[in-house]
Amino acid sequence: MKKFTTFDGLVAPLDRANVDTDAIIPKQFLKSIKRSGFGPNLFDEWRYLDVGEPDADNSGRPLNKDFVLNQARYQGASVLLARDNFGCGSSREHAPWALEDYGFKVIIAPSFADIFFNNCFKNGLLPIVLDEAIVDDFFKAAQASEGYQLAVNLEKQTIATPDGKKMSFEVDAFRKHCLINGLDDIGLTLQHVEEIKAYETDRAKQAPWLFA
Amino acid sequence: MAARTLYDKLWDAHVVREDDNGTVLLYIDRQLVHEVTSPQAFEGLRLADRKPWRAGANVATADHNVPTTGLDKGITDPVAKLQVETLGDNCREFGIQEFAMGDIRQGVVHVMGPEQGATLPGMTVVCGDSHTSTHGAFGALAHGIGTSEVEHVMATQCLIQKKSKNMRVEVTGNLTQGATAKDVVLAIIGKIGTAGGTGYAIEFTGDVIRSLSVEGRMTVCNMAIEAGARSGMIAVDDKTIEYFKGRPFSPKGELWNKAAEAWKELHSDDGAVFDCVVTLDGSTIEPQVTWGTSPEMVVSVDQSVPDPAKETDPIKQEGMKKALVYMGLEANTPITDIKIDKAFIGSCTNSRIEDLRAAAEIAKGRKVASNVMLALIVPGSGLVKAQAEKEGLDKIFIEAGFEWREPGCSMCLAMNADRLESGERCASTSNRNFEGRQGNGGRTHLVSPAMAAAAAIAGHFININALKAL
Ligand code: SF4
């Protein structure tokens, strides 16, 4: 996993609540056995006027000009601004894979769906929960001024606006540690092999049917 | 010891270690595996040269991509075919038991697991699928995970977790209006919203929940995730224990007695504290129909499509307007005036034998309306299908004009050929009515099996009580 520290990112505002994983990456792309290359099909049904297919060339497809990510001013965006309950729906990790592959590093919303939130961290994406009012201000600012950027500092847990305002955000200490150091969860857990074995031995005495 | 909730008990029994910041390594007893969310996990194991920690703790089946007709021809879509074959190859390579296409035990992963006794009370159960919450119906702690976590569980038999808060949803009284388990859970979601359970583990309690069959309880827990909760659960009682007697993976002999004894403890203690309690009166719940593109957009069948103009929250109002446009509906239209093009009875929410019996009861001696071009019955597993055929349900359905199919996820998410075309409207027993869920531009109304069958017969939504009276 890539290390995550600080960066300045162009903000793209996706002004809808309850954006679900089907919208983030439609189900036909779940047929893939790969974990990369989903970026061109991020928000496929909103982004294109035709229906996308896995492993197809997307370059010649008709674009939906009204969709925010198709507007020239948001090209190269790496901060996605979203509304409540972003990422609801299925547990598919293809959703964070697609967001990450497209180039997003941070998603800011007033709330996220649990499984999606969790999946983000495992794929080098930082989901940030901020007060509805702050998110709303970001929406207004991003829509009003072209090239609106936010500076995200994970180490210090701050976001700075172009006009010099700074606000802090919460992030789980363990998740932060893993993101900053690009650590793999499995490797971390396998440091506790003896404890897992001890648990199993103990548990097999109490509930032997689970190990039959 | 202080009084604990069911969730507390399940959690405590599975903690391997706890860090200072509250992050827990939680032991996982059972992982269910399917073709869509596992290939990248197996690939990860291979790349890191890791082996499954306990291969026997995993059970696999193919469900999302399998065709529901012409099984002899195999899968015609090459991308889907590769994914299903990859599951088989991976299971062989890593020594994991798989119920592959053509095996009578194959089926939707959340139907197959309990049917085999592969998920049991008191277990922690995970699967790379959000509807894993289904298995909470037996007093298990069950939730969906992403592919990285699938790999993590395979490699370590553990998950890195933080504890959720406790929520109790109590449904009191009796169901008196012809409502079923599906209507109960839709009514709950209508009340608390699709984010109402976010951050919580929900325990469903109350007389109505007690009175439901084990299969009905699975329907309720299945949709806990639609209320935002990763896991929903119901305390163990005699019905639960009875359900697992004699299943292939269930404990046998002396072990069975021991297990059954232990399972009786799987309920919240008197006086256990919940962070949030929600109560519904079961006697007021009528058959439900969703009208929009989120499961919380739901009303009783005898009501009308709500009017966004009456919504005061501007974001909600905007969401309602968008939903109405997508659904091709006008505000204030009576639900019973809405005509359907297709009906789908299936999915991990409602494809078990009791669901099929409920639908067959409505279909018996009646005919699918001429405006309904496809009414699909997709059993949850090969075993459900065989049981239904033994009871003659297939004949009732075929006689009435329904199609009788092979098990799989089918039109629940339309990864195979079963789907809605753009603009088509469907009465569906599945769990999600999101835009495009059942096919690009398709319009989904979530209902119970009896209500879906009734809509197929009438050609439009109808209160089952009214249909029965005809
Ligand atoms: S039936 Fe539908 S909800 Fe259930 S596992 Fe299959 S696709 Fe998911």
Side-chain angles (χ1 to χ4, degrees):
Chain A
M1 205 160 77
K2 275 183 233 145
K3 294 184 182 187
F4 187 116
T5 42
T6 60
F7 79 102
D8 290 341
L10 179 69
V11 179
L14 182 66
D15 200 357
R16 294 180 170 240
N18 300 311
V19 171
D20 62 76
T21 49
D22 271 325
I24 298 174
I25 182 94
K27 64 205 153 242
Q28 62 268 36
F29 301 101
L30 271 57
K31 290 181 192 170
S32 172
I33 58 170
K34 294 179 293 201
R35 79 189 293 158
S36 59
F38 294 106
N41 301 106
L42 174 69
F43 300 123
D44 199 274
E45 285 178 17
W46 291 338
R47 221 160 120 197
Y48 302 97
L49 297 171
D50 63 350
V51 179
E53 287 301 330
D55 295 329
D57 179 16
N58 297 289
S59 56
R61 295 176 56 196
L63 293 176
N64 170 9
K65 297 231 162 41
D66 295 334
F67 184 60
V68 50
L69 294 185
N70 288 333
Q71 294 169 26
R73 58 187 284 193
Y74 298 122
Q75 297 313 301
S78 56
V79 177
L80 184 67
L81 207 51
R83 295 287 188 189
D84 259 326
N85 203 24
F86 187 83
C88 61
S90 87
S91 62
R92 69 186 67 155
E93 210 150 314
H94 306 66
W97 292 339
L99 286 157
E100 196 263 351
D101 193 60
Y102 180 89
F104 284 115
K105 287 193 160 75
V106 171
I107 308 167
I108 299 174
S111 64
F112 291 89
D114 279 348
I115 301 178
F116 174 82
F117 187 75
N118 209 6
N119 283 340
C120 283
F121 288 104
K122 299 186 188 299
N123 293 284
L125 270 174
L126 175 63
I128 298 178
V129 179
L130 290 177
D131 271 359
E132 184 129 27
I134 300 178
V135 175
D136 214 46
D137 285 346
F138 285 167
F139 264 100
K140 287 187 191 125
Q143 281 153 351
S145 50
E146 199 165 327
Y148 187 77
Q149 294 210 348
L150 288 171
V152 181
N153 184 330
L154 177 57
E155 181 79 63
K156 297 208 169 90
Q157 298 180 219
T158 57
I159 298 178
T161 64
D163 55 6
K165 263 194 245 138
K166 222 179 220 175
M167 53 212 79
S168 57
F169 60 87
E170 295 289 322
V171 57
D172 178 84
F174 175 72
R175 294 284 170 226
K176 174 176 165 180
H177 174 74
C178 292
L179 265 186
I180 289 180
N181 297 295
L183 291 179
D184 150 16
D185 281 1
I186 296 180
L188 285 170
T189 299
L190 287 175
Q191 293 171 359
H192 306 299
V193 163
E194 291 314 317
E195 279 166 278
I196 303 173
K197 286 188 178 155
Y199 170 88
E200 283 183 327
T201 311
D202 197 39
R203 180 83 173 144
K205 282 186 206 136
Q206 297 158 22
W209 59 90
L210 292 175
F211 297 85
Chain B
M1 198 186 277
R4 292 184 298 166
T5 65
L6 171 59
Y7 174 58
D8 295 339
K9 289 182 185 180
L10 291 166
W11 178 270
D12 292 349
H14 290 89
V15 174
V16 172
R17 58 171 277 123
E18 182 160 1
D19 280 337
D20 301 339
N21 64 4
T23 305
V24 159
L25 208 53
L26 197 72
Y27 193 79
I28 302 302
D29 296 312
R30 175 70 70 205
Q31 170 150 259
L32 302 168
V33 179
H34 66 90
E35 78 275 24
V36 177
T37 52
S38 68
Q40 297 87 351
F42 283 114
E43 186 64 28
L45 287 186
R46 245 189 312 269
L47 288 174
D49 202 16
R50 286 173 177 140
K51 296 261 160 303
W53 180 276
R54 250 179 80 196
N58 301 278
V59 182
T61 194
D63 56 3
H64 283 62
N65 268 311
V66 299
T68 59
T69 48
L71 285 195
D72 46 327
K73 289 194 248 38
I75 307 178
T76 47
D77 173 350
V79 194
K81 184 164 188 254
L82 177 65
Q83 203 175 51
V84 171
E85 286 173 356
T86 303
L87 177 66
D89 294 345
N90 282 328
C91 286
R92 274 185 293 279
E93 179 181 340
F94 290 98
I96 289 171
Q97 184 169 12
E98 187 207 1
F99 302 128
M101 247 172 81
D103 188 316
I104 193 164
R105 296 165 295 183
Q106 176 269 338
V108 178
V109 66
H110 308 306
V111 176
M112 174 279 285
E115 190 170 75
Q116 292 301 314
T119 57
L120 292 171
M123 275 185 168
T124 38
V125 180
V126 296
C127 173
D129 185 279
S130 55
H131 293 99
T132 310
S133 58
T134 311
H135 309 268
F138 326 110
L141 177 54
H143 60 77
I145 54 178
T147 298
S148 300
E149 290 175 316
V150 172
E151 185 183 338
H152 192 278
V153 172
M154 278 180 187
T156 70
Q157 212 54 47
C158 292
L159 263 186
I160 300 170
Q161 289 281 290
K162 278 228 160 148
K163 200 174 173 192
S164 305
K165 287 180 286 181
N166 279 290
M167 176 187 272
R168 188 174 80 209
V169 174
E170 187 176 2
V171 190
T172 59
N174 304 303
L175 296 179
T176 54
Q177 322 247 8
T180 65
K182 180 65 164 286
D183 304 298
V184 169
V185 70
L186 284 171
I188 292 171
I189 296 165
K191 178 164 173 135
I192 70 175
T194 49
T198 304
Y200 291 98
I202 301 181
E203 181 178 350
F204 298 98
T205 67
D207 287 344
V208 164
I209 303 294
R210 295 283 90 197
S211 72
L212 291 176
S213 69
V214 171
E215 293 192 1
R217 295 175 190 179
M218 289 168 77
T219 302
V220 173
C221 289
N222 175 273
M223 292 191 72
I225 183 69
E226 257 48 72
R230 293 177 72 181
S231 46
M233 64 199 80
I234 293 173
V236 170
D237 62 8
D238 292 345
K239 282 189 222 175
T240 327
I241 294 173
E242 192 54 37
Y243 176 89
F244 285 104
K245 232 178 226 165
R247 301 211 172 248
F249 285 71
S250 289
K252 310 263 161 7
E254 194 38 45
L255 272 188
W256 167 264
N257 296 336
K258 242 182 143 159
E261 212 36 54
W263 294 341
K264 289 187 181 142
E265 296 303 313
L266 296 171
H267 54 80
S268 290
D269 296 329
D270 286 341
V273 181
F274 288 83
D275 302 284
C276 174
V277 177
V278 176
T279 310
L280 270 82
D281 176 358
S283 65
T284 63
I285 301 175
E286 292 173 64
Q288 305 281 301
V289 182
T290 64
W291 56 268
T293 52
S294 157
E296 70 184 17
M297 294 172 165
V298 64
V299 290
S300 299
V301 58
D302 292 322
Q303 292 178 313
S304 297
V305 175
D307 190 343
K310 293 191 186 124
E311 176 58 57
T312 47
D313 177 341
I315 295 180
K316 270 204 180 142
Q317 190 184 60
E318 200 44 41
M320 288 172 79
K321 284 187 191 155
K322 278 195 176 122
L324 288 183
V325 170
Y326 182 84
M327 294 297 290
L329 290 174
E330 296 287 337
N332 304 314
T333 307
I335 295 291
T336 49
D337 282 1
I338 302 173
K339 287 206 169 83
I340 63 163
D341 305 302
K342 289 182 176 170
F344 170 62
I345 297 176
S347 90
C348 56
T349 319
N350 286 124
S351 63
R352 286 168 286 269
I353 190 68
E354 290 174 12
D355 300 315
L356 302 189
R357 285 180 193 141
E361 191 195 324
I362 300 287
K364 192 167 188 168
R366 298 189 170 99
K367 292 275 181 221
V368 168
S370 57
N371 62 303
V372 177
M373 36 193 167
L374 178 69
L376 268 190
I377 315 272
V378 184
S381 71
L383 284 164
V384 171
K385 181 171 185 246
Q387 177 63 32
E389 288 173 352
K390 209 166 110 194
E391 297 177 16
L393 305 187
D394 56 327
K395 296 206 182 60
I396 295 176
F397 287 126
I398 293 166
E399 184 68 20
F402 289 84
E403 288 197 19
W404 181 245
R405 295 288 184 88
E406 302 292 337
C409 292
S410 178
M411 212 157 77
C412 173
L413 90 168
M415 269 184 84
N416 67 1
D418 310 334
R419 65 182 68 199
L420 300 181
E421 298 305 326
S422 189
E424 282 179 353
R425 188 178 300 286
C426 180
S428 177
T429 65
S430 54
N431 43 45
R432 288 195 172 137
N433 51 352
F434 299 156
E435 287 186 19
R437 170 77 179 185
Q438 294 194 291
N440 231 291
R443 296 162 172 164
T444 303
H445 296 266
L446 303 176
V447 287
S448 74
M451 285 285 289
I457 301 292
H460 55 84
F461 291 104
I462 181 169
N463 191 325
I464 35 167
N465 301 321
L467 184 88
K468 281 183 187 164
L470 282 184

